[in-house]
Amino acid sequence: MTDGEPRPLRDATRVLRAGLPAPAQGAPPLPGPTYASHFYLEGDPATAPYVYGRYGNPTWTLYERALEELEGGPATVFASGMAAAAAVLLPLLRPGDALVAPADGYPAVRSLATGHLASRGVDVRLVPSSEPVPDSALTGARLVWLETPSNPGLEVVGIADAADRAHAAGALVAVDNTLATPLGQRPLALGADYCVSSNSKHLTGHADLILGHVAVGDAVRRDDLAAWRTETGAIAAPFEVWLAHRSLATLALRLDRQSTTALKLAERLLFREDVADVRYPGLPGDPAHEVAKRQMRSFGSIVSFTVEGGRARAERFLADCRLVDQATSFGGVRSSAERRARWGGDDVAEAFIRFSVGCEDPDDLIEDVERALDLSAG
C-alpha cells in the first residue's frame, strides 16, 4: 500500500476480471454472446454504439477490453490468427516497401509474405531468428516482423533491442506473441508497434475454436485495424469470442501448470541418450534462455526435441503415447505433439517433435512420455 492506494493486481488476479462490465443487480458477471446481424437504429448512425454486425458487437467489445488490459494497448479481435496477421501485413505494405521476417517463423506468414506480398512488389527479406537482424536487412525496411519464441524452433528474440534498431532505421515492428501470450511477455511495453496473436492456442486453451487479435500502441492504428476488419469481413463469430473471454479467466492457472511441467519434461529428456536437441526457453542450458529470462515472465508450454532413430521411431513414439494427442496445434489443456517435418516448410529433422504440454499431472505425463520412448525403441 502507498498513501492508501492498493498495489497493482498480479496477472493471475487480473485475468479473472479482465473486460468484465461493472456489476449490476441481477446481471451475469460475463453477459452471454450477442447474436445480431443488425441493431435497432433511428436517425444519425454516429449516435448508436452498434449499427450492423460487421461493424461491431457488444461481445467483441468486452473481449477486446479484456485483451487491452492484458496487452497494454487497444486490441482488435479477428476471425483467426492469420486474419490478424493479414490485417497488419496487407494494408501496411505496398509495392516497393521492404518486409523483414523470420526465415524460421510460422509457415503461413512466410507463405503470405513470399507469395502474395512478393508478387505485389514487396521486397521480402527472410532472416533467421537465432541471429540479430543485420543492418543490411533493416535498410529501407517498412516493417520488421518478429516471432518470439519462434515456432517451432523456440528461438527467442530480444524485442527491445530489435525494436530500437528497427525504429532507428525507420521501420515499424510487429511481434507474433502467440507462444508467449501477454502473461509471458508484453511486446508493446518492449517497444513493438503491433502485437499479433493466434488466440486459438494458449489464450483460449481448449482446442475448440479459431480466433486471433492484434494489439497496438495507439488508437489510430486500432481504428485502421477495425476499418480493415469491417471492409474485408474478417469478423469473429460472437459465440467464439464469448468462449474466448470465458476461457481467459483460467489462463494464468493453465500457464503455470503447463510451464512448470514443460520445464520438468525438458530437464528429464536431457538425461535420455535417445533424445537430442532438447529446446525449452526456460531451460538454463537452452541457447535462448538468457534472452528469455530478461523479457519473459512465463516460458510457455512448448518443448521441442529430436528422437534418435529417425522418422519411423518418432512416429512409433507418438503412437505409443497414451496421454498425448497427435495434433498440429498447441496450447491446449490436453497435451499434444506432432512430428513437425510431416508438413514440410520447416528446416527441422525428420524426427523433430513439437510437444505441447497440457495440464495433466506432471508425473503422469512424464511417465507416459518415457514409457512411449522406451516402447518405440523396441
Side-chain angles (χ1 to χ4, degrees):
M1 299 270 189
T2 304
D3 297 327
E5 291 296 322
R7 60 162 176 74
L9 297 175
R10 296 181 175 87
D11 286 342
T13 304
R14 294 170 63 229
V15 294
L16 292 171
R17 298 183 177 276
L20 297 184
Q25 184 77 353
L30 176 63
T34 298
Y35 299 105
S37 61
H38 63 267
F39 299 83
Y40 183 75
L41 174 68
E42 62 180 26
D44 183 359
T47 64
Y50 303 101
V51 175
Y52 183 63
R54 186 161 46 85
Y55 302 167
N57 179 290
T59 308
W60 299 355
T61 299
L62 292 179
Y63 185 51
E64 289 173 340
R65 188 181 301 162
L67 293 172
E68 179 175 358
E69 291 178 28
L70 300 179
E71 295 279 18
T76 307
V77 66
F78 289 90
S80 69
M82 277 308 299
V88 176
L89 293 166
L90 298 186
L92 188 64
L93 295 165
R94 303 180 183 279
D97 287 342
L99 166 68
V100 179
D104 50 347
Y106 186 54
V109 171
R110 278 187 281 130
S111 178
L112 181 66
T114 59
H116 184 78
L117 288 173
S119 69
R120 291 173 58 198
V122 174
D123 178 11
V124 178
R125 305 167 181 174
L126 299 181
V127 298
S129 299
S130 58
E131 303 172 7
V133 177
D135 291 337
S136 57
L138 289 175
T139 302
R142 170 69 170 143
L143 177 68
V144 175
W145 185 278
L146 306 175
E147 184 178 296
T148 180
S150 65
N151 176 21
L154 302 181
E155 300 289 352
V156 177
V157 179
I159 296 173
D161 179 65
D164 286 345
R165 294 180 60 230
H167 290 153
L172 296 170
V173 176
V175 175
D176 183 336
N177 199 42
T178 299
L179 267 73
T181 83
L183 298 195
Q185 68 188 6
R186 294 200 182 117
L188 298 181
L190 294 168
D193 302 290
Y194 299 89
C195 178
V196 185
S197 178
S198 169
N199 299 18
S200 315
K201 314 301 193 296
H202 295 98
L203 278 176
T204 50
H206 289 77
D208 56 5
L209 60 89
I210 301 293
L211 210 64
H213 82 270
V214 183
V216 292
D218 64 72
V220 173
R221 290 197 179 101
R222 197 276 169 187
D223 291 344
D224 290 342
L225 289 164
W228 174 265
R229 178 179 63 188
T230 297
E231 292 161 5
T232 61
I235 61 173
F239 184 61
E240 276 75 4
V241 175
W242 179 82
L243 280 176
H245 198 169
R246 183 201 63 168
S247 299
L248 197 60
T250 61
L251 176 60
L253 292 171
R254 289 185 278 109
L255 277 179
D256 182 62
R257 167 58 73 89
Q258 290 168 311
S259 59
T260 298
T261 305
L263 178 58
K264 289 181 178 179
L265 175 62
E267 289 173 336
R268 186 67 193 94
L269 291 173
L270 286 175
F271 287 96
R272 293 195 62 109
E273 295 181 355
D274 55 355
V275 172
D277 302 322
V278 178
R279 295 295 308 269
Y280 181 65
L283 197 63
D286 189 283
H289 180 66
E290 290 304 313
V291 177
K293 73 179 184 181
R294 287 198 298 269
Q295 72 184 27
M296 298 181 69
R297 294 169 297 159
S298 170
F299 300 111
S301 72
I302 307 300
V303 178
S304 69
F305 55 93
T306 300
V307 177
E308 297 287 3
R311 172 177 176 170
R313 187 182 174 203
E315 294 283 6
R316 290 197 302 271
F317 159 68
L318 293 173
D320 286 333
C321 288
R322 294 184 304 128
L323 301 179
V324 183
D325 298 333
Q326 293 194 55
T328 192
S329 194
F330 57 85
V333 291
R334 288 172 289 277
S335 292
S336 62
E338 70 171 340
R339 190 180 65 82
R340 188 64 189 168
R342 66 181 179 168
W343 295 100
D346 290 317
D347 185 17
V348 295
E350 283 293 319
F352 176 93
I353 303 295
R354 184 184 68 183
F355 195 107
S356 174
V357 174
C359 293
E360 297 88 357
D361 180 277
D363 292 336
D364 286 343
L365 182 63
I366 293 171
E367 287 171 10
D368 186 54
V369 169
E370 294 214 82
R371 170 185 168 277
L373 285 168
D374 291 341
L375 287 173
S376 67

